[in-house]
Amino acid sequence: MTDLNIYNEDIINLQEKALCVGLNITSTNKRTDNISIDESMEELKELVRAAGAEVVGELIQNRSSIDTATYLGSGKIEEIKNYAEGLNATMVVFNDELSGAQIKNIENIVGKKIIDRTMIILDIFAQRARSKEGKLQVELAQLRYRLPRLYGMGGQMSRTGAGIGTRGPGEQKLEKDKRHILNRAAVIRRELKEVAKNRDIQRVQRQKNDVPIVALVGYTNAGKSTILNEIIKSHPDYESEKEVFVKDMLFATLDVTLRKALLPNKKEILVVDTVGFVSKLPHDLINAFKSTLEEVRYADLILHVIDATNDNSDIQKLTTESVLKDLGVEDKKTITVYNKIDKLDLDIYPKNQEDLVYVSAKKNVNMDKLMNQIQDMLMEDMYKVNLLIPFNRGDVFSSIKDKYVIDSFEYTNEGIDLIVSLNEMDYNIYKEYIKEV
């Protein structure tokens, strides 16, 4: 069988130099998002740097619509050719997803490697994915991206291991026979189903243990991983080795991680860190990671983390909310967490509210308030009761003690008198023991 392994570890000995190119659509009815071209281009440059390349220049064209053949006008493509040569750029990166025909046409004129925004994001994911599931999901997204472009990408598909944008399933082989892509994609889907089955088993076990799950979501580089690392320090089993990787860059971590933490009332919770979002996140990538993001569906509470220092925080908030809506969890309990307030003047952000908190995870500012708000939100659906359990029902007391943090208890002549907060299901199970006042 043809080898379509994408996990070749490419090392860029000579850092690639990228010219970033964007299109500013001036016709308002053809705009696809609210982010400005300048903001979008800044994000593209950050993505390029995250992929390991040096940004040497930027060029933007204002047009009322996209040119179907070359994305930009033919005159602008010629300008790009001359500009790229003058900058000694090794590749040109476009701020939107291009068709195979557009890539081929532009490459024929410019004579350099042509990369689009989707290829850059896929490349970053290919570099960063560590778990088996993450690697399979990235490979599937790459295959879906490349399949319709096999006969349009020209020289781009004939390069193997040539740096950014080429990390992926052996391009020459893909060009020879697209059946190999379809076969490999089928194999990956079967493997992902097996991984999903194992995750479902683990999830059922967690649900049996009735441990609340708190999911961190948000834009990439908002500080989700830093918040997770700070929260898990509350657990008695905490070890520094359990912390997740943190770096000030887009998509520093990709794989979903689950860690234990302890609320102020000593109730144990599980905290889930998920992959971050960006504007124009490739559709295939959203589909590929949907099974992983579905962990959010089973969370009892969502922490929507936002970078308080980012000028585009409102737009980033909408981007994340859009993905959550796609997952069908837009109505789930949510605390909005504005992070990185240590970089702001302390008098310019509002006071904390019931479902809104301002923190600096890095400086441990207001993290105690966040933990209290998490506790309050999770306890909203709990019933605080005074139970009197007969001595001959020690099994009931044992079950409650194993599952909940008991506020207080004492042995009386009538039985075990305790105060505890129960979820609705257990409230109905144990309501016969509720002590009458």
Side-chain angles (χ1 to χ4, degrees):
M1 180 177 176
T2 303
D3 179 16
L4 294 175
N5 177 33
I6 73 163
Y7 311 135
N8 52 311
E9 297 292 334
D10 289 313
I11 298 175
I12 306 171
N13 294 319
L14 215 67
Q15 188 178 50
E16 296 195 64
K17 299 181 185 297
L19 168 60
C20 294
V21 175
L23 170 61
N24 183 33
I25 297 179
T26 54
S27 176
T28 55
N29 64 334
K30 292 186 179 181
R31 291 288 301 274
T32 57
D33 54 45
N34 296 318
I35 193 168
S36 73
I37 185 62
D38 291 334
E39 294 161 347
S40 185
M41 288 298 289
E42 282 303 312
E43 188 173 271
L44 177 67
K45 287 186 280 188
E46 284 300 310
L47 288 168
V48 170
R49 294 184 188 106
E54 177 189 355
V55 176
V56 294
E58 173 186 332
L59 194 149
I60 298 172
Q61 182 179 34
N62 296 313
R63 280 177 63 92
S64 60
S65 62
I66 294 172
D67 186 287
T68 55
T70 55
Y71 180 69
L72 305 179
S74 56
K76 184 60 70 173
I77 297 297
E78 285 289 345
E79 183 181 337
I80 289 171
K81 175 185 177 181
N82 296 330
Y83 193 30
E85 288 176 354
L87 294 170
N88 292 320
T90 59
M91 65 179 183
V92 180
V93 183
F94 285 77
N95 194 32
D96 286 293
E97 187 171 301
L98 304 176
S99 68
Q102 286 172 331
I103 291 174
K104 181 180 179 181
N105 293 337
I106 297 170
E107 190 177 59
N108 286 341
I109 298 171
V110 177
K112 295 185 181 295
K113 182 164 60 176
I114 304 301
I115 303 290
D116 66 15
R117 186 185 180 96
T118 299
M119 292 168 73
I120 282 287
I121 294 174
L122 288 173
D123 189 274
I124 295 169
F125 275 53
Q127 292 181 53
R128 308 274 171 77
R130 291 292 177 266
S131 69
K132 177 183 178 182
E133 184 177 22
K135 290 177 179 180
L136 288 172
Q137 288 167 331
V138 172
E139 184 179 1
L140 184 60
Q142 288 180 314
L143 292 170
R144 285 173 172 166
Y145 173 84
R146 285 185 166 93
L147 183 60
R149 292 169 174 79
L150 276 177
Y151 304 109
M153 292 179 70
Q156 192 72 350
M157 297 305 294
S158 66
R159 297 188 181 94
T160 56
I164 292 172
T166 62
R167 255 175 288 269
E171 285 81 2
Q172 289 179 328
K173 295 170 185 174
L174 299 187
E175 191 173 19
K176 289 178 182 177
D177 195 347
K178 71 177 183 180
R179 283 181 302 175
H180 292 303
I181 304 179
L182 299 173
N183 291 339
R184 177 59 184 158
V187 169
I188 292 173
R189 281 192 289 268
R190 285 197 296 270
E191 290 188 46
L192 284 172
K193 282 182 180 179
E194 287 301 312
V195 174
K197 282 182 184 178
N198 293 332
R199 191 170 56 246
D200 288 342
I201 292 171
Q202 294 171 350
R203 185 184 295 127
V204 168
Q205 186 59 47
R206 291 200 300 268
Q207 289 171 336
K208 283 182 180 178
N209 295 336
D210 198 42
V211 179
I213 297 174
V214 177
L216 291 156
V217 302
Y219 222 73
T220 182
N221 207 30
K224 298 187 303 299
S225 297
T226 306
I227 288 177
L228 179 140
N229 288 340
E230 196 61 35
I231 287 176
I232 65 175
K233 290 177 182 178
S234 62
H235 201 279
D237 295 337
Y238 164 77
E239 296 173 354
S240 59
E241 291 78 10
K242 294 180 180 179
E243 294 188 7
V244 295
F245 176 72
V246 173
K247 191 171 182 179
D248 185 16
M249 66 191 306
L250 302 186
F251 300 120
T253 53
L254 291 181
D255 296 313
V256 170
T257 53
L258 224 84
R259 297 288 187 271
K260 293 179 181 179
L262 218 58
L263 294 173
N265 64 4
K266 306 306 178 186
K267 171 75 173 176
E268 187 175 81
I269 61 171
L270 286 174
V271 187
V272 182
D273 189 14
T274 61
V275 63
F277 308 127
V278 292
S279 63
K280 304 180 183 179
L281 192 64
H283 183 70
D284 284 339
L285 206 52
I286 293 175
N287 285 338
F289 276 82
K290 224 161 200 177
S291 60
T292 305
L293 289 170
E294 279 179 354
E295 288 290 338
V296 179
R297 285 184 177 177
Y298 298 94
D300 299 280
L301 175 66
I302 294 174
L303 300 187
H304 180 175
V305 183
I306 299 171
D307 181 354
T309 68
N310 195 295
D311 294 335
N312 305 315
S313 60
D314 289 342
I315 295 170
Q316 293 180 357
K317 184 173 184 285
L318 290 173
T319 299
T320 301
E321 289 173 346
S322 175
V323 177
L324 293 177
K325 187 175 182 179
D326 288 342
L327 292 170
V329 297
E330 68 272 24
D331 295 327
K332 193 176 285 289
K333 285 184 181 180
T334 302
I335 297 176
T336 303
V337 184
Y338 282 91
N339 190 27
K340 306 184 184 180
I341 62 169
D342 57 295
K343 297 181 180 179
L344 300 176
D345 294 331
L346 294 183
D347 59 348
I348 70 168
Y349 61 89
K351 299 296 183 183
N352 296 327
Q353 302 171 33
E354 183 179 343
D355 58 353
L356 180 68
V357 62
Y358 290 79
V359 307
S360 168
K362 188 175 181 181
K363 301 291 185 179
N364 196 21
V365 176
N366 281 346
M367 289 301 294
D368 56 336
K369 293 181 174 60
L370 174 60
M371 293 300 286
N372 282 320
Q373 286 182 266
I374 292 172
Q375 177 177 286
D376 291 345
M377 194 79 80
L378 289 174
M379 294 294 289
E380 277 183 353
D381 297 329
M382 303 291 281
Y383 296 81
K384 192 168 186 175
V385 292
N386 186 180
L387 302 179
L388 182 61
I389 301 173
F391 288 119
N392 64 350
R393 293 311 311 268
D395 58 316
V396 172
F397 178 61
S398 180
S399 295
I400 294 174
K401 187 173 64 172
D402 289 343
K403 194 171 183 179
Y404 296 99
V405 177
I406 295 174
D407 293 345
S408 66
F409 76 94
E410 64 175 333
Y411 295 97
T412 68
N413 293 332
E414 293 80 19
I416 307 171
D417 192 318
L418 67 141
I419 297 175
V420 66
S421 295
L422 305 174
N423 63 28
E424 185 174 4
M425 183 177 70
D426 286 336
Y427 173 82
N428 290 321
I429 292 174
Y430 301 124
K431 65 182 178 181
E432 63 178 288
Y433 301 112
I434 294 178
K435 186 177 178 180
E436 294 183 5
V437 180

